[in-house]
Amino acid sequence: MNIPQMQPLMPATHLASRLAETTAISVSACYQCKKCSAGCPLTFAMDLLPDQVIRLALLGQMERLLGSRTIWVCASCVTCTTRCPNGIDIAGVMDWLKEEALKQKAAVDQPEVATAHRFFLESIRKAGGRLSEMALMQRFLIYKLRRQPNLKELLDNAKLGLALFKRRRLRLGRPPVIKGKGEIQSIFQRAGV
Amino acid sequence: MEGTAADYAASIAGVSPLLDLELAELEDWSCCGASAAHSLSHRLSYELPARNLGLAKKAGLDVVVPCALCFNRLKAAEKEAEKETGQTPLDKKIWDLLDFLTQPSFLQTLAKKVRRPLKGLKAVGYYGCLASRPPAITDKLDYENPQNMEKLLTVLQAEPLDWSYKTDCCGAGLTLARPDLVDTLVRRLYDRALAAGAECFVVSCQMCQANLDMSQERISKQAGKKYYLPVFYFTELMGLAMGHTDTAKWLSRHLVDPRPLLQKRGLL
């Protein structure tokens, strides 16, 4: 049997207290029932289970968490938060850790996911309030092909794009410019995104 | 609604007059930022929908939201404003479209207007995540086992089937970056729907529709078996049952063509 090597941890409280200050989420309420991990549909792709994320947050293991895969493959389905008997917003912790990872310029385990989110927001900002699905898909495809050229993926995407186009489900032009374009710019500026 | 969910938008516009309902588009609405915003910036994820909340207040009407993500983020912004100011920012109600259209009064009208009962159509209702969860935001009571899609299908005289995956996740927020993860989640939904005896899905969210519909060919190839599970918007089935003449046009926009199934059941 493969017994994992246990390393002693030096617990620190700064992470839990910062989390509580900025989001009012109290990870110390966790009694490790693991209901969050039992209901999570994405555990198959995670390096830490949701209950382990909460435990490590309580123990102040910032680096381990910011570099984890789990925070990025979490699909934000909020099943964990919904079922937590102690009212811990586990999905909220995942979001906070993602934002913190970018702020602290930590090594992001899933750069594609972070980039897709960033492109999505930039697309809204650039178009002045509404999303251009076409521009977003194109930009992301180029990014992906640059990282790892994959002819099959390119063809599959082209095929899907064509199928959607034929069914008039792709709008080629820009989204309409809204009157609140200026407001959108200031919202983005205030958020520093 | 203006792009890949054009079929959803058309069916909503098609069925509402048949139910004596007049819907006005929220003027100058903007995107709520969806999962991208709450993943990268807590502040942005409230301020973007808060703008729409402000527009809704000016409009002075109930807000009926067809997109599960928009609904969720609008409700989140409403709760946040309540927390900050101690009062409700909107004196009208924010509805998700399925809840709104399955109020008893609409179901009664609908029952009287069914011209083509959807007899023999075996369907599972798929609600997805964010119209239901988290209940602290959505104010839903039956968030683990919602029933209104089944109630609607019963009124349309279809056969709604029970299954345990109706609020499981399709991975919408990861569609662009990790389609492989989406495929795993969606294939699980196909298999569970088939195990329940279903021949189609009925959805109320355009991201659920997109993930279940657009990836069916790809997943079939990976799985080495042909899945054929059309993915209807609930509004399309309402239109079909009420005999709306554009129904076939809406359905022709799906990637998994539902028409062979409907023909087989004598419904088209």
Side-chain angles (χ1 to χ4, degrees), chain B residues 191-206:
Chain B
D191 288 334
R192 302 313 299 187
L194 288 172
E199 48 195 10
C200 62
F201 290 97
V202 187
V203 301
S204 58
C205 162
Q206 78 293 344

Side-chain angles (χ1 to χ4, degrees), chain A residues 72 75-76 95 98-99 102 113-124 131 136 188 193, chain B residues 31-45 48 69 73 130 172-174 176:
Chain A
W72 297 103
S76 308
D95 279 345
K98 279 181 266 193
E99 194 171 343
L102 296 183
V113 179
T115 303
H117 289 327
R118 187 165 58 81
F119 283 3
F120 188 98
L121 295 178
E122 284 174 5
S123 169
I124 298 170
L131 179 72
L136 173 62
F188 273 93
V193 179
Chain B
C31 180
C32 71
S35 291
H38 71 67
S39 292
L40 301 192
S41 164
H42 185 72
R43 184 159 181 184
L44 193 65
S45 77
L48 281 175
L69 276 100
R73 297 315 307 168
L130 295 174
L174 298 166
L176 208 52

